[in-house]
Amino acid sequence: MTHILAIDQGTTSSRAILFDASLQVISSAQEEFRQHFPASGWVEHDPADLWATAAATARAAIERAGIGAASIAAIGITNQRETTLLWDRASGRALHNAIVWQDRRTADLCERLKAEGHEAMISARTGLLLDPYFSGTKLAWLLDNVEGARARAEAGELAFGTVDSWLIWNLTGGKVHATDATNAARTLLYNIAENRWDEDICKLLDIPIQLLPEVRDCAADYGMTRADLFGHEIPILGVAGDQQAATVGQACFQPGMMKSTYGTGCFALLNTGPDMVPSKNRLLTTIAYRLNGQTTYALEGSIFIAGAVVQWLRDGLKIIRTASETQPLAQKADPLQDVVMVPAFTGLGAPYWRPDCRGAIFGLTRNSGPAEFARAALESVGYQTRDLLEAMRADWGSAGGAVLRVDGGMAASDWSMQFLSDILGAPVDRPKVTETTAQGAAYLAGLQAGLCPPPDQISGQWALDRRFEPKMDDSLRQAKYARWKKAVAATMEAA
């Protein structure tokens, strides 16, 4: 058994990548699924779509590799975090669509809890802010709005999980109801200092604790897959939320190392080692990974819209047909126009945390067109990343001179990464393998299976594709960033 299968269940698609024991890609498959927007600020997925596409892509990756499932030593799972599911333990059927991490329907509940003075206690225990982003208030909404759900939950008939738990449940035929420490840490219900579900917060949100999955290490035994799925039982040995999996895949195992992943959203993590660093700048304190019962913490900044702004250019404005057209279009933009786009389609994330904000565009002229929109869209990701790094530097001064490691779909754009380096005034390193999220999940599973070496040995295998160095004049950098800050301020003022 010399292969590892990574299942990467994301916000807009499911992917499966088969790796060999040295974590080189052997084969892959990907499938998009439908997004549901039942009301303004609401985002849902059909749970059946999440499971069906994850299973189908896993089968396809195995078939394309031309190997049998008996050759696979382990499965690693990584997933969109915070997305909330509730299902029947007996039938395995979901009671409602999954409420996606981007969904803002519980904003009023969060504001009420803040007004009642609960945010300080919740932040101290979970490292999170009282925001609709996290799973806890989404679960409370489901219990309050799905007929009969609360009574059935109290009777022990229902199970809650983030997407990893949903996949594990389905992969094992309902035998395992578990999650890992990184996904648990994003629920608003988990005490990250004590590594346990927090009974006081569950009581505050009226969530029966028997709903919650067992929490395990990132590299651990999560059961065996049903034999009928792949023709052979395969052990599930690694689980991590997508951003933590990318941190592992980027080999950010030392305190002070940073990575930023550009998928649907953008998420920057700074490893702070065994120390929980409370943020004074509205970042999140979270679990980076937990191995052998030892917890490593991180500061995280979350941007809700990164790659999704390119999807909007394609699907909303229809000015591009594929994401790859964005860079050449941006390069054609009029250099004399300074169009600024604040893509707050589902609110502003860190460090602002304004779920009430919506997108805005500034600086339009009669000559503004698709090229200027494309450039403004790509630049918005760089500006938002600088917002995060400015906050990290303020919280943890050692982040000041660090190199940023990048990954995800947008990292493939040379133009975007050069602008990122320019606006940060810092080097940006892109690895040879940019799909580090799946690689991180595969590493965790391989570590547990005994195929992969420990973290201190795997770090040397990280390989650089290209380093982007800042070329922009500092006065221009500061002027452009000041214009961005003014645009954000105006967006918040208009909300």
Side-chain angles (χ1 to χ4, degrees):
M1 296 190 292
T2 56
H3 293 78
I4 307 163
L5 178 66
I7 296 174
D8 181 358
Q9 201 301 299
T11 308
T12 58
S13 69
S14 294
R15 286 179 296 177
I17 302 179
L18 194 68
F19 295 86
D20 64 17
S22 61
L23 298 182
Q24 298 302 304
V25 174
I26 303 301
S27 65
S28 65
Q30 182 169 356
E31 187 176 338
E32 289 193 3
F33 52 85
R34 185 182 170 196
Q35 310 291 303
H36 300 267
F37 308 100
S40 176
W42 292 28
V43 189
E44 295 180 355
H45 292 154
D46 184 337
D49 288 345
L50 303 181
W51 165 236
T53 54
T57 53
R59 290 192 193 98
I62 295 171
E63 290 171 6
R64 290 173 186 176
I67 66 168
S71 298
I72 300 174
I75 289 176
I77 295 173
T78 184
N79 56 285
Q80 52 168 311
R81 304 170 305 172
E82 297 95 17
T83 294
T84 302
L85 297 103
L86 185 65
W87 65 91
D88 183 294
R89 290 182 181 271
S91 69
R93 286 195 295 269
L95 273 68
H96 189 276
N97 273 351
I99 302 180
V100 179
W101 57 272
Q102 297 163 313
D103 189 282
R104 315 307 289 169
R105 75 186 65 187
T106 62
D108 289 345
L109 171 58
C110 291
E111 288 304 315
R112 177 173 64 79
L113 292 168
K114 285 180 190 176
E116 292 172 357
H118 297 298
E119 186 170 48
M121 179 272 288
I122 290 173
S123 293
R125 297 186 186 189
T126 68
L128 309 179
L129 301 171
L130 256 175
D131 189 85
Y133 177 28
F134 306 108
S135 311
T137 57
K138 299 179 194 296
L139 176 56
W141 187 94
L142 286 170
L143 294 175
D144 288 336
N145 288 275
V146 175
E147 186 176 355
R150 185 168 295 285
R152 296 188 64 201
E154 290 170 352
E157 297 175 11
L158 305 182
F160 151 77
T162 43
V163 173
D164 59 309
S165 295
W166 174 243
L167 295 183
I168 292 166
W169 180 276
N170 283 282
L171 285 164
T172 62
K175 291 181 180 177
V176 179
H177 182 213
T179 189
D180 85 294
T182 69
N183 277 294
R186 312 297 296 194
T187 61
L188 207 72
L189 306 173
Y190 194 68
N191 188 313
I192 63 171
E194 299 179 6
N195 273 287
R196 63 173 178 82
W197 296 115
D198 194 289
E199 294 182 9
D200 293 334
I201 300 174
C202 287
K203 195 172 297 182
L204 177 66
L205 293 174
D206 201 12
I207 291 172
I209 208 156
Q210 60 265 35
L211 268 178
L212 309 180
E214 179 188 344
V215 182
R216 303 179 183 177
D217 283 356
C218 299
D221 182 0
Y222 286 86
M224 303 288 285
T225 64
R226 292 165 20 208
D228 61 302
L229 284 174
F230 308 115
H232 192 277
E233 291 185 342
I234 306 173
I236 305 165
L237 298 181
V239 179
D242 51 10
Q243 304 314 317
Q244 283 87 350
T247 303
V248 170
Q250 287 277 36
C252 291
F253 293 119
Q254 296 300 316
M257 297 186 74
M258 289 191 296
K259 75 90 202 174
S260 190
T261 298
Y262 298 95
T264 301
C266 165
F267 303 87
L269 265 76
L270 168 69
N271 184 326
T272 62
D275 301 321
M276 287 177 57
V277 177
S279 176
K280 298 176 182 177
N281 294 279
R282 298 183 68 76
L283 297 176
L284 307 176
T285 304
T286 194
I287 294 176
Y289 48 86
R290 195 175 83 192
L291 299 172
N292 298 318
Q294 299 297 309
T295 303
T296 296
Y297 294 95
L299 281 171
E300 177 177 332
S302 308
I303 296 167
F304 299 147
I305 301 293
V309 75
V310 176
Q311 282 186 317
W312 177 69
L313 296 178
R314 183 192 68 185
D315 302 335
L317 296 187
K318 302 187 187 304
I319 62 175
I320 57 171
R321 290 170 297 178
T322 64
S324 61
E325 296 176 12
T326 313
Q327 176 173 316
L329 190 59
Q331 290 172 321
K332 297 176 183 176
D334 180 358
L336 298 180
Q337 291 192 53
D338 201 359
V339 177
V340 177
M341 181 184 296
V342 182
F345 302 144
T346 56
L348 283 169
Y352 307 104
W353 294 106
R354 286 287 301 271
D356 55 325
C357 286
R358 292 298 177 261
I361 300 176
F362 299 87
L364 294 178
T365 72
R366 282 287 300 272
N367 291 327
S368 300
E372 287 70 35
F373 272 63
R375 184 183 64 188
L378 295 181
E379 287 184 343
S380 74
V381 178
Y383 290 131
Q384 290 178 98
T385 305
R386 177 163 171 179
D387 285 343
L388 300 184
L389 265 66
E390 294 279 344
M392 286 179 174
R393 286 168 178 151
D395 279 337
W396 208 67
S398 300
V403 174
L404 180 67
R405 291 184 172 180
V406 295
D407 55 77
M410 289 189 75
S413 167
D414 289 354
W415 192 94
S416 298
M417 294 303 99
Q418 184 58 55
F419 180 77
L420 178 61
S421 175
D422 286 340
I423 204 66
L424 296 180
V428 170
D429 281 0
R430 182 174 65 196
K432 287 186 176 179
V433 178
T434 56
E435 296 303 340
T436 52
T437 303
Q439 190 178 52
Y443 170 72
L444 292 168
L447 178 66
Q448 182 69 13
L451 287 179
C452 296
D456 60 340
Q457 296 179 31
I458 198 72
S459 296
Q461 296 183 20
W462 186 91
L464 177 69
D465 169 57
R466 179 175 172 184
R467 170 168 285 189
F468 296 87
E469 299 276 6
K471 298 177 181 178
M472 185 179 289
D473 179 78
D474 188 61
S475 61
L476 177 60
R477 175 186 303 117
Q478 301 307 339
K480 288 179 75 68
Y481 187 59
R483 183 167 173 78
W484 161 258
K485 297 292 282 186
K486 285 178 65 177
V488 170
T491 302
M492 292 192 293
E493 180 68 24

